[in-house]
Amino acid sequence: LKNLPEDTRKEYLQTLLLLDEKKKDQAIRDDFLSFVKHMWPDFIEGEHHKIMADKFNRVARGELKRLIINMAPRHTKSEFASNFLPAWMIGNKPDLKIIQATNNAELAVRFGRKAKTLMEQEEFKNVFNTRLREDSKAAGKWETDQGGEYYAAGVGGSITGRGADLLIIDDPHSEQDAMNMASYDRVYEWYTSGPRQRLQPGGSIVIIMTRWAENDLTGKLLRQQGRDILADKWEVVEFPALMPDSDEPLWGEFWKKEDLLSVKGSLSLGKWEAQWQQNPTSELSAILKREWWKVWKHDYLPQLHHVIQSYDTAFMKKTSADYSAITTWGVFYPSQDEGANLMLLDAIKGRY
């Protein structure tokens, strides 16, 4: 390089810089987390963001069609799924049709405005060729020059006549839903009557939400998946605020453990377990409480005094029938001073 003429050397270095910029731009287009860092320089990265980004990358490549992410409040749930994901997806596929829904229309429109604002920034335009139509002024309803569409709707709102290659549902339940059990049925009815039927062939669904109850939208979709072999098959990711194995924060770079414990101490056990730990229970008075369950950490079994089997059988073999379940339990005494403990030795389910 030193032996090259000065003009040639400058041209060579400029070419290297140009290639480096092209590689960087390609990485932003190919990798969701690289896009977030490019558009959000002050972003504080956590390990769960890498997992979410990997899932979104698979959605973009067409490898993952049904994704549910359950996570605690204030962990960049909406920033990732409702602000950055629509902009990145339509940036890569300018003709993509997106329907974005959340628990109320005002919030849905706000998400649309933020995604639209991202696409209007020079940092976005320097990487993607997608451009908004000049007459796309509405925050919750806009189009691209290449035929792409974005439409924001609140739960219960009409989306008749619209199709979606990508359906994003962000927190379909509100605080008011938690006080009205019938609202969970209404959300599910709206989902099955509206958004699910708007999906184009080969389209993808991303649901990202905080858990509220066993019969919230996540719970109902997973229950339907278990009942009917033809139902949508979901890949589910759960992010508790405090990790069960270590009791440390999921996002320690942002949340201090004492702050999370303060939240826990301010809520009922049911709200903490559901909304912050993604572990909803039907009732706090359940016979077997979740906090009673422990992991047996040894590679051997204790001395068992009894072995018990339980059977919960369905009445039909057809694919739409409920599963039959068989569990095997061992009864043991950890010490002479303690009462009997139960250990789950084996569990199977199937349609027999």
Side-chain angles (χ1 to χ4, degrees), residues 184-246:
Y184 298 123
D185 294 330
R186 287 198 296 270
V187 170
Y188 184 69
E189 180 62 27
W190 167 81
Y191 169 81
T192 54
S193 300
R196 181 59 185 87
Q197 299 189 46
R198 300 295 99 203
L199 196 67
Q200 305 272 44
S204 300
I205 306 175
V206 174
I207 298 177
I208 186 164
M209 59 178 281
T210 293
R211 294 301 307 269
W212 289 86
E214 287 187 327
N215 59 337
D216 59 17
L217 185 58
T218 290
K220 287 182 177 292
L221 291 174
L222 296 183
R223 199 170 296 120
Q224 181 63 21
Q225 173 181 292
R227 288 191 183 124
D228 193 336
I229 195 171
L230 298 177
D232 286 331
K233 299 299 181 288
W234 297 91
E235 186 163 322
V236 182
V237 183
E238 295 178 341
F239 291 124
L242 286 175
M243 301 302 291
D245 54 345
S246 64

Side-chain angles (χ1 to χ4, degrees), residues 11 14 24 103 128 143 156 159 177 192 194 202 293 321 337:
E11 183 178 348
Q14 288 174 350
K24 179 182 176 182
N103 58 73
F128 298 98
E143 300 178 5
I159 53 176
D177 290 345
T192 54
W293 289 90
D337 299 326

Side-chain angles (χ1 to χ4, degrees), residues 90 92 96 107 185 196 300 351:
I90 209 166
N92 278 302
L96 195 71
L107 183 58
D185 294 330
R196 181 59 185 87
Y300 59 87
R351 295 184 175 96

